[in-house]
Amino acid sequence: MQTRHKIGILGATGVIGQRFIQLLEAHPWFEIAWLAASDKSSGKTYGEAVKWKLDTQLPSRIASMMVSPATPEGAPGVIFAALDTDIARELEPKFAAAGCAVISNSSAFRMQADVPLVVPEVNASHLGLLETQAWRKQSGGYIVTNPNCSAIGLVLALKPLADRFGLESVFVSTMQAVSGAGYPGVASLDILGNVVPYIKGEEEKLEAETLKLLGKLSGSRVEPLNARVSAHCNRVPVEDGHTESVSIKLKAKATRDDILAAWSEFAPLAGYTLPTAPAQPVEFAAAEDRPQPRLDRMRGKGMGATVGRLRPCSLFDWKFTVLSHNTIRGGAGAAVLNGEFLAALGKLVAHDHVAVSA
Ligand SMILES: NC(=O)c1ccc[n+]([C@@H]2O[C@H](COP(=O)([O-])OP(=O)(O)OC[C@H]3O[C@@H](n4cnc5c(N)ncnc54)[C@H](OP(=O)(O)O)[C@@H]3O)[C@@H](O)[C@H]2O)c1
């Protein structure tokens, strides 16, 4: 790629916004040109506005950038968005209407019929929905979303099995990291030495998003996968990395070797050279006590899903554990991969700055 796309980050000061900065600052295809957050941050330098929580240094170029108001005026044509859902519902359409490609982390539009909910390894064809969006027709802008942080590891593990053997039922119980709740997130007195068996709206999202992601694009709509998913979601005192215990019933018989082969041979992006795509999207950890969040969340630079503990299930057919990094694979990294895939398809908005009439 000859030139780098100038990009902006909406919600740049939050947990996912900080990951965007970490993943994009030295990105070969994208250049961070604009940062925005709430009124309490705009008008400050990013270094003044942010409570930087990552274990890499805040880049000095970024620290000295001004935080802009969260409006499309002067924003670049490609926006990576990490806003709270209610704010996203209000602001993302304004950017799409102004001609921006909005690559969103929020749940606000994930289940809207004309908005693609995409993991490139799983359902890249759903990006066809972009062309049906009114924003796309009127201004060239659009909204594309990535799933909830607990859905992404699950669908990466399920997709190769759904393709080869068909999927009838999925039972999943999650152990989700505290960073999944944003910053400052869950109060320390609520989570230290504890498990909270409730995350508002999470079970519904995990169930519905999994079926949309594994569904088929049919004309201008996605037919969700005809399978049953039941989810239990728990918050646990882990910093990063969502672990999920999964039981599955398949349509066709599959041996342990068949399942291991389906996972290891899963390489749907092999024909592309996307900087953030992991070489092995689903990696099997053979040790009997893996995957574990502290030890396995950074596989594939945080973009891999690690599966393990594959064994027969006495209720369904098979059960296993899957782990993925919630703020990388499940958040900023997922959106960056969507951005790279859109760039490879030539679907990123061409102009660097949008002009907006008052
Ligand atoms: N954390 C995860 O693991 C994860 C994973 C996948 C998806 N997500 C989703 O990603 C989104 C962001 O999550 P997060 O964890 O990064 O949340 P967060 O840490 O609470 O950050 C929220 C961001 O939104 C900004 N913001 C708040 N009100 C605003 C307003 N009125 N106008 C403009 N900006 C505003 C905040 O700016 P200020 O600092 O100025 O307040 C901050 O930059 C959410 O929709 C979440 O569900 C999160």
Side-chain angles (χ1 to χ4, degrees), residues 10-18 36-42 49-50 67 69-70 81-88 90-92 104-108 110 146-150 177-185 202 205 235 240 242 325-328 330-332:
L10 252 181
T13 49
V15 166
I16 298 295
Q18 293 182 34
S38 76
D39 290 348
K40 90 174 178 344
S41 304
S42 76
V50 75
V67 179
L83 295 170
D84 302 312
T85 301
D86 291 346
I87 316 292
E90 177 195 335
L91 293 186
E92 288 179 357
S104 169
N105 260 278
S106 138
S107 64
R110 285 181 198 146
N146 53 264
N148 177 280
C149 43
S150 57
V178 284
S179 60
Y183 187 82
E202 198 79 350
K205 283 186 225 169
R235 186 76 69 198
D240 289 313
H242 289 355
H325 197 301
N326 56 296
T327 67
I328 304 179

Side-chain angles (χ1 to χ4, degrees), residues 35 44 50 55 57 70 89 101 108 138 165 172 187 196 255 282 334 343:
L35 302 170
K44 296 179 181 169
V50 75
D55 58 7
Q57 286 274 86
R89 193 168 285 119
Q138 283 153 20
F165 317 113
V172 54
V196 181
T255 65
V282 184

